[in-house]
Amino acid sequence: MNFDFDAGFDDDTTQMRDMVVRFARRELASPGCFDDAGDFRRRWRLAGKQGLVGTSVPGEFGGSGLDAVAAAATMEALGYGCADTGFAFSVAAHLFAAVMPVVEFGTEEQRGAWLPALSSGERIAAHAVTEPEAGSDALRLHTRARAVDGGYVLNGSKCFITNAPVADVFVVQAATDARGGFFGLTTFLVQASTPGLTVGRPYDKVGLRGSPTADVHFDDCPVPAGAVLGAEGAGASIFSSSMKWERTCLFAAYLGAMRRVLESTVEHARNREQFGSPIGDFQAVSHRIVDMLGRYEGARLLLYRAARSLADGGADEIGPALAKIAVSEAAVQLGLDAVQLRGALGVLDGEAESLLRDALPARIFSGTNEIQKNNVARALGLGRRRPVARR
């Protein structure tokens, strides 16, 4: 097995993918845990010079202008070449959850002010939506934005915010209508240096340890009217759009990590001998590897189908949800299988146990897999309470 596989990519995308793999292997090696903000930014700037943090940003604002398929291919290559899946996750979260909302909903002034630096690696963005009591129920946020002369004042707290310890700007979802509902949320672009904004200590996580994560607090934090992204009340629409990008293109990084571990597992099965034969000769081992490959390939097909729909401007809600479910579940199971097939070596520090730890959060972030199933059922016209016929 090698990385030379076809997903209908054109020559430019194939060459770009191979270049990203070589770059990531050469420049993005790290211990795989966030403990040095300076080194994190050093690698981030390198990734920016390579075009990785702005792949889907239009060229006029310093990005590469790639569509969703090519952007997913880039993230897959990054996940394959960079053994620090947490770093790849941070890049993808920055781009798809925080930068793409500015691309799609920002004013010309907002785009010009933020996108060039966010695309070059000079600045880092974070998407602040999750709260202690509003994770899956994103329409009932407790963070409030109170209108005042010239703008708003934010009060509240966010938790589990990817890139928070290193972010220069936050894309913040807050309630401008206390009654909640679809039109009760508004999105703000808030600079990290704004008075009243504080970031907590980085979390010590089980997985994605190379991705810095922390809480964010707003205490009478002033934001000007020009910091509103889209329009007041458009927050839910902006959030939904960003999740389509995230549930599709971000999860491509996991495909790359899965492929990397799958290849090393095959190599291990070919070379590890027990009872006088390579363990790959045993049917229990070979069949498990075939199952690993099948899950990987099936998840990959779903993801790129969703990416193609997104690139074509489709309004598909089912595709991104199914892709997110398939990739995350396949990554967890592939990690379990890779650990099992390595025996005692699998529970030592290495890429098999790292994939498993990094995959576990994938079933939770971007909307839990249970919520994704609810979304798919709702799109199919299921899960609604049927009115009772009156007699």
Side-chain angles (χ1 to χ4, degrees), residues 306-386:
R308 171 50 58 195
S309 176
L310 185 59
D312 291 342
D316 179 26
E317 295 182 5
I318 295 178
L322 290 179
K324 192 268 183 187
I325 294 169
V327 174
S328 60
E329 295 293 349
V332 170
Q333 187 59 54
L334 196 145
L336 287 168
D337 290 336
V339 168
Q340 185 72 25
L341 291 175
R342 283 164 170 77
L345 292 174
V347 298
L348 301 180
D349 184 32
E351 63 178 5
E353 60 87 23
S354 293
L355 173 63
L356 178 57
R357 288 189 291 103
D358 291 338
L360 290 173
R363 299 195 297 187
I364 298 171
F365 65 73
S366 299
T368 66
N369 285 3
E370 291 77 13
I371 289 295
Q372 300 313 307
K373 292 176 182 179
N374 287 347
N375 292 342
V376 173
R378 186 166 53 249
L380 294 174
L382 305 173
R384 295 191 179 97
R385 181 177 297 175
R386 295 180 181 274

Side-chain angles (χ1 to χ4, degrees), residues 191-381:
Q191 295 190 53
S193 59
T194 304
L197 188 158
T198 58
V199 177
R201 296 180 60 182
Y203 288 116
D204 185 13
K205 307 189 300 296
V206 171
L208 297 175
R209 295 174 62 84
S211 175
T213 309
D215 296 342
V216 183
H217 307 284
F218 304 94
D219 185 10
D220 288 336
C221 178
V223 292
V228 173
L229 189 61
E232 183 173 314
S237 294
I238 294 173
F239 175 70
S240 296
S241 178
S242 70
M243 286 301 99
K244 287 182 182 179
W245 280 95
E246 182 171 300
R247 289 167 187 159
T248 302
C249 297
L250 181 150
F251 281 84
Y254 278 101
L255 291 178
M258 290 162 64
R259 178 114 189 163
R260 172 165 39 81
V261 174
L262 181 55
E263 289 181 353
S264 67
T265 302
V266 170
E267 191 66 18
H268 176 77
R270 288 171 176 166
N271 295 313
R272 170 67 169 166
E273 291 192 1
Q274 291 285 281
F275 307 104
S277 299
I279 63 172
D281 288 351
F282 303 134
Q283 192 175 74
V285 172
S286 62
H287 281 193
R288 188 184 290 260
I289 291 176
V290 171
D291 288 340
M292 293 167 71
L293 179 61
R295 292 189 191 95
Y296 161 78
E297 292 287 0
R300 191 167 187 269
L301 287 171
L302 280 172
L303 185 138
Y304 277 102
R305 187 177 73 174
R308 171 50 58 195
S309 176
L310 185 59
D312 291 342
D316 179 26
E317 295 182 5
I318 295 178
L322 290 179
K324 192 268 183 187
I325 294 169
V327 174
S328 60
E329 295 293 349
V332 170
Q333 187 59 54
L334 196 145
L336 287 168
D337 290 336
V339 168
Q340 185 72 25
L341 291 175
R342 283 164 170 77
L345 292 174
V347 298
L348 301 180
D349 184 32
E351 63 178 5
E353 60 87 23
S354 293
L355 173 63
L356 178 57
R357 288 189 291 103
D358 291 338
L360 290 173
R363 299 195 297 187
I364 298 171
F365 65 73
S366 299
T368 66
N369 285 3
E370 291 77 13
I371 289 295
Q372 300 313 307
K373 292 176 182 179
N374 287 347
N375 292 342
V376 173
R378 186 166 53 249
L380 294 174

